[in-house]
Amino acid sequence: MDSGEKLVVDFGDYFAHKYSDEHLVRLLQFHKADKGPLLYMLDNQHGDERVKRVFQLCTKVWELKEAHERRANKRRQTRVALHKELFAAIEEALLLLNRIAERETQWLLYPLFVVASELVREALYMSRVLKLSDEYVERCGRSVHRSFTLCLNDRNPVRGENRRTAVYMFMNLEFKVYHLLGNRDMVKNLIKVIKSRHEDAADPLVPCEQSLAAQYPAQVATYHYFMGEYYGCYENEYGPAAEHLLLALGECSPAQGHQAQIARILVLLVPFAMLSRRAYPRAEAIDAMLTPPEGPAGTTRTKVKVKRTRSMEMVQTVYRAAAQAFATGNVGAYRALIQPPENQMWFLRRGVYVAMLLLEELVLLRRVVLCHHYAGGPSIVPLGLLCAGLSAQQMDTRMLECALANLINKGYIRGYLSHGNQCMVVSKTGPFPPAQPGK
Amino acid sequence: MSSTTEKAVAMSKEDTVSKESPAASNRKSLEEDDEFEDFPADQWPAGTSLKDTNEFHTNLWEESWDDVEVDDNFTNDLRAEISRYKQEHQA
């Protein structure tokens, strides 16, 4: 029978014939309101006890959810008990599927990933909404890590069977868990392992775009988002960070209502690109990406519902003004943006505080470039001239000398300061080297 | 807690609310997105991603660093300041 016409689905059939389809995935997507119109059963003749138990657990999860929906009493105590039961059932299902997957090839990887995602979702709910201890998140992390390692360590030489193809998808789940735990070291270790496998000369790990994740743009975007965050926020390597974040952005679709994800990517991409490429996204381009799509013309359908988030607001106000200050070298305006404590707190929470501080140097550099240009491009630039250009920026000659010394030291200006003559001597050819985006 | 203290606390709360700036209350109405939210689905129709549009590749970035002919009030003031400095120091 064609899979699209199924009324009854035999769970054991997937394991007996080693395939998966949308009906199997639907059964495992526990976060959805229901499991759809199909009836799921398991042939009594099915011999594998682990498969039987997984099916029982899936049935239990759906029954628990339905029973809870029918209950009038939904006090916190009841909800906590329900979610503990749900977590335990999904966790056991994932452990069993991990064991089954160790002997299987690629067909089981996506269903395994779906169950692991459900466990992460449940742990996130218990931690963030129910405010339970981190115990569940930690347990979830251990189970997901087993899925990750059973993929990573597969040595099957047949590429079409090797489970390593799903490594990036489980890596994404681990990223989420470690963020929830606030554990940066675990993120670093995870990336170190993947990097070493990329560099394995004998059997290198394929890039994300050639793995199973390539079939799921959400997974490619998530992978590049977290990699960009790692390089930019943990390692201060803004060039690679911007490259990853741009790849993440490219996968998003404004028409599908991805505005929240786009805003989070832009929160990191904008300052990192300004630092590494000295470029920033056009305001109109940002507005277009963050505007929810309209319903089809001539219909009464409303726009896709998109919540307005703080990231969207900051990108469209503070970042826009920062880009303007960056373009004109307006140090005073830039400082006014980064100094308010509520903005600083937000930069810190988003991991861009250091980048925003470093950007102030580039705003000043832009100012120096413009002063130099308007003065006719002399090779000897009096400090007084630069000071005149910066008079409104509350910067005296001494402060300016320090700031210029810093810019010269960092290679932004080719030249030297002559303190005795109160001037800066710059190279006649290329006094302001262009950005090196790789850094 | 005595009723006087309760009143004082209530009044101080009212003060805080009334002193709250429009910007602050606007911030409160926004959703704090602490996590990178899951996408609503793992897949979406091919050709609808940003990378599939020309705009994304050609019109996303403002790369104005080498462009020194900026025309805005702030830069025009700078231009005037520099020429004033040059005139003063040549005289």
Side-chain angles (χ1 to χ4, degrees):
Chain A
M1 190 192 286
D2 182 85
S3 67
E5 297 166 4
K6 277 181 182 173
L7 294 172
V8 179
V9 175
D10 177 12
F11 187 70
D13 194 48
Y14 295 111
F15 294 83
H17 296 101
K18 301 188 187 303
Y19 74 103
S20 73
D21 62 10
E22 72 273 23
H23 303 309
L24 174 61
V25 169
R26 192 72 187 79
L27 174 71
L28 304 173
Q29 287 176 323
F30 306 123
H31 70 281
K32 298 217 168 169
D34 57 59
K35 59 180 186 291
L38 298 180
L39 286 174
Y40 291 88
M41 46 79 75
L42 182 67
D43 184 353
N44 286 335
Q45 302 301 312
H46 194 86
D48 190 330
E49 288 304 317
R50 287 178 302 193
V51 173
K52 280 185 188 170
R53 181 67 184 146
V54 172
F55 184 68
Q56 279 173 6
L57 290 163
C58 292
T59 311
K60 182 181 174 184
V61 170
W62 285 111
E63 283 171 359
L64 280 170
K65 281 187 65 175
E66 282 161 20
H68 184 72
E69 280 302 310
R70 285 196 300 271
R71 273 182 93 129
N73 172 9
K74 288 178 184 170
R75 285 183 310 173
R76 178 184 153 77
Q77 212 178 345
T78 321
R79 282 191 296 133
V80 168
L82 167 80
H83 283 280
K84 282 184 177 176
E85 267 197 273
L86 285 175
F87 182 89
I90 302 171
E91 184 187 42
E92 190 185 341
L94 180 59
L95 292 178
L96 287 166
L97 283 171
N98 274 341
R99 279 190 217 135
I100 296 169
E102 278 168 9
R103 290 167 178 239
E104 295 294 346
T105 54
Q106 294 179 354
W107 75 269
L108 188 55
L109 294 175
Y110 190 66
L112 182 72
F113 168 76
V114 171
V115 176
S117 309
E118 293 297 332
L119 191 65
V120 173
R121 202 184 295 263
E122 197 54 45
L124 201 131
Y125 185 86
M126 293 168 90
S127 165
R128 286 282 148 95
V129 182
L130 297 177
K131 310 277 179 207
L132 300 181
S133 76
D134 281 345
E135 178 203 332
Y136 297 95
V137 185
E138 284 165 3
R139 272 166 58 181
C140 165
R142 284 194 288 274
S143 301
V144 172
H145 189 65
R146 262 180 229 140
S147 309
F148 171 79
T149 47
L150 78 87
C151 293
L152 186 71
N153 297 331
D154 189 0
R155 293 285 172 190
N156 188 337
V158 182
R159 180 164 278 198
E161 294 181 355
N162 194 301
R163 293 187 301 266
R164 285 203 297 178
T165 190
V167 150
Y168 298 99
M169 295 168 62
F170 290 105
M171 195 174 169
N172 285 343
L173 294 179
E174 290 207 49
F175 278 138
K176 284 180 194 162
V177 169
Y178 300 145
H179 271 76
L180 209 53
L181 291 170
N183 194 331
R184 284 187 167 207
D185 289 339
M186 295 297 275
V187 174
K188 285 187 178 185
N189 287 342
L190 190 61
I191 291 174
K192 212 190 279 177
V193 169
I194 288 295
K195 269 183 169 176
S196 73
R197 293 301 177 96
H198 282 152
E199 290 157 7
D200 183 349
D203 189 14
L205 186 65
V206 295
C208 181
E209 280 75 5
Q210 292 169 28
S211 73
L212 181 65
Q215 295 176 25
Y216 307 99
Q219 295 305 316
V220 179
T222 306
Y223 167 74
H224 285 299
Y225 171 80
F226 283 116
M227 290 300 286
E229 186 192 53
Y230 162 77
Y231 279 114
C233 304
Y234 300 6
E235 303 293 328
N236 297 346
E237 291 180 30
Y238 302 114
E243 279 171 29
H244 277 290
L245 291 161
L246 194 57
L247 289 170
L249 186 65
E251 295 294 335
C252 297
S253 168
Q256 300 292 316
H258 297 161
Q259 278 69 25
Q261 290 80 6
I262 290 172
R264 279 302 301 257
I265 293 169
L266 288 172
V267 163
L268 303 184
L269 176 61
V270 173
F272 298 166
M274 279 159 83
L275 278 168
S276 61
R277 306 170 49 154
R278 297 183 195 168
Y280 47 90
R282 288 176 203 276
E284 313 83 68
I286 287 185
D287 288 345
M289 288 189 277
L290 293 180
T291 305
E294 295 280 356
T299 65
T300 50
R301 224 180 83 189
T302 51
K303 287 179 178 182
V304 172
K305 269 196 175 174
V306 175
K307 296 168 289 182
R308 183 83 183 152
T309 64
R310 180 91 192 275
S311 294
M312 293 178 192
E313 183 74 9
M314 293 295 275
V315 166
Q316 288 181 303
T317 55
V318 174
Y319 277 13
R320 181 166 300 175
Q324 180 64 21
F326 182 79
T328 56
N330 192 339
V331 182
Y334 186 79
R335 281 186 187 153
L337 288 169
I338 63 165
Q339 279 173 353
E342 70 267 25
N343 285 357
Q344 292 196 346
M345 283 304 294
W346 187 82
F347 297 146
L348 271 171
R349 285 196 0 235
R350 292 288 166 267
V352 293
Y353 181 74
V354 174
M356 293 306 282
L357 285 190
L358 289 173
L359 265 176
E360 190 181 324
E361 287 176 354
L362 287 188
V363 178
L364 175 67
L365 176 64
R366 177 71 176 154
R367 192 72 175 163
V368 174
V369 170
L370 292 177
C371 287
H372 179 257
H373 176 75
Y374 296 148
S379 58
I380 298 172
V381 190
L383 293 183
L385 181 136
L386 295 175
C387 259
L390 286 159
S391 56
Q393 319 283 306
Q394 297 167 333
M395 194 175 254
D396 63 22
T397 320
R398 242 178 38 185
M399 283 164 74
L400 177 67
E401 264 190 278
C402 292
L404 290 173
N406 195 27
L407 293 177
I408 292 168
N409 179 47
K410 289 191 172 178
Y412 291 136
I413 301 175
R414 277 199 201 113
Y416 60 89
L417 284 172
S418 172
H419 180 72
N421 294 313
Q422 282 293 286
C423 68
M424 178 171 71
V425 182
V426 295
S427 163
K428 283 180 183 159
T429 53
F432 305 107
Q436 293 169 291
K439 285 196 174 173
Chain B
M1 199 193 291
S2 74
S3 64
T4 328
T5 328
E6 275 169 12
K7 269 183 197 168
V9 170
M11 278 176 71
S12 73
K13 272 186 187 167
E14 273 171 25
D15 281 355
T16 323
V17 172
S18 62
K19 278 176 193 167
E20 206 171 62
S21 66
S25 62
N26 180 36
R27 270 200 304 278
K28 276 189 181 171
S29 71
L30 297 169
E31 181 141 329
E32 275 296 354
D33 47 343
D34 284 326
E35 299 295 329
F36 181 70
E37 223 176 272
D38 281 341
F39 286 88
D42 270 337
Q43 287 171 307
W44 43 87
T48 60
S49 291
L50 284 167
K51 68 175 182 191
D52 302 317
T53 63
N54 277 339
E55 284 281 293
F56 184 72
H57 297 284
T58 57
N59 212 20
L60 176 62
W61 299 103
E62 190 84 62
E63 310 216 32
S64 64
W65 189 262
D66 297 322
D67 176 13
V68 280
E69 298 308 325
V70 187
D71 187 24
D72 75 328
N73 288 343
F74 183 75
T75 322
N76 291 339
D77 288 348
L78 171 70
R79 215 187 291 251
E81 195 75 45
I82 298 288
S83 54
R84 196 177 311 128
Y85 175 89
K86 281 174 79 177
Q87 276 171 5
E88 280 171 14
H89 287 77
Q90 274 165 5

